[in-house]
Amino acid sequence: MQVTEPTIETEAISGWLRRWAPLIPGGEVLDLACGAGRHARHLVSLGHPVIALDHDPEMLEKAAGTGITTSLVDLEAAGAVWPFAPGRFAGIVVTNYLHRPLLEAMVASLAPDGVLLYETFAEGNEQFGKPSNPKFLLKEGEMLTWAVQHGLRVVAYEDGRVEQPKAALVQRICAVRPDFPRLAALLPTF
């Protein structure tokens, strides 16, 4: 019997995203700062059309594929504005990226029953390497504060150390807009 090794792409998908992405209701999903598109492809496999946004054209070339519309936008450029309408997305996914000025407009782009999946580095990560600049590290409880300030309901939140894919301090949140039905938030069995 031949054993097939899992692909690097499959292994690279965030466990947090893999766990919570099935909660995203039907509709378009934004993969913000998508990189090479590993999460965009996973979301397409779940049946979602995806907008994969990044500032790097080489990464967007790698991210392109069936069901994925790429969008070349540098949201950190001087004078940059959020390019999406309020209420547009069933889900927004962000991993390993933080640009605080985007938060309000990003959350506004979630549909009334939309899901936000966000995972990035937290203060203290500097002991493990980059990122180490406080500008790119979440303060203690910062994601929870965002959720409250923007009227989101928290389904799941974690703040601590991970070992994979490398040792790091992270915060992660799965938060939903007010119209997301509580019965649809299927929680894991421990």
Side-chain angles (χ1 to χ4, degrees):
M1 181 166 109
Q2 183 178 4
V3 176
T4 308
E5 291 294 317
T7 65
I8 291 172
E9 175 115 41
T10 300
E11 292 173 2
I13 295 169
S14 158
W16 187 255
L17 182 100
R18 188 181 302 281
R19 167 63 188 99
W20 296 108
L23 294 187
I24 299 172
E28 191 174 42
V29 177
L30 173 65
D31 184 357
L32 178 61
C34 68
R38 67 187 192 269
H39 294 130
R41 282 186 285 284
H42 179 68
L43 293 160
V44 165
S45 78
L46 297 176
H48 298 283
V50 176
I51 301 289
L53 183 143
D54 205 284
H55 74 280
D56 185 335
E58 290 179 27
M59 289 290 116
L60 287 175
E61 191 174 308
K62 293 176 184 177
T66 303
I68 299 171
T69 302
T70 59
S71 181
L72 179 63
V73 179
D74 184 352
L75 292 169
E76 296 179 38
V81 294
W82 183 253
F84 303 110
R88 175 172 178 175
F89 296 108
I92 297 176
V93 172
V94 186
T95 58
N96 302 334
Y97 178 73
L98 178 62
H99 186 57
R100 290 174 179 93
L102 300 176
L103 295 173
E104 186 173 339
M106 179 187 68
V107 171
S109 288
L110 278 173
D113 62 345
V115 175
L116 173 66
L117 300 176
Y118 206 124
E119 173 180 31
T120 198
F121 301 98
E123 284 181 338
N125 190 70
E126 54 276 9
Q127 66 189 301
F128 300 107
K130 294 191 179 220
S132 57
N133 182 336
K135 180 179 174 180
F136 305 116
L137 301 174
L138 292 165
K139 295 173 178 38
E140 185 176 337
E142 188 172 349
M143 281 190 170
L144 288 175
T145 301
W146 296 348
V148 170
Q149 289 174 341
H150 294 97
L152 299 174
R153 188 174 79 244
V154 175
V155 173
Y157 171 78
E158 292 182 344
D159 182 357
R161 180 178 172 164
V162 296
E163 293 298 320
Q164 298 297 324
K166 67 175 190 156
L169 282 180
V170 300
Q171 284 183 46
R172 337 186 225 217
I173 198 163
C174 172
V176 297
R177 292 290 298 262
D179 289 354
F180 185 89
R182 291 191 73 209
L183 288 175
L186 184 62
L187 305 176
T189 303
F190 293 103

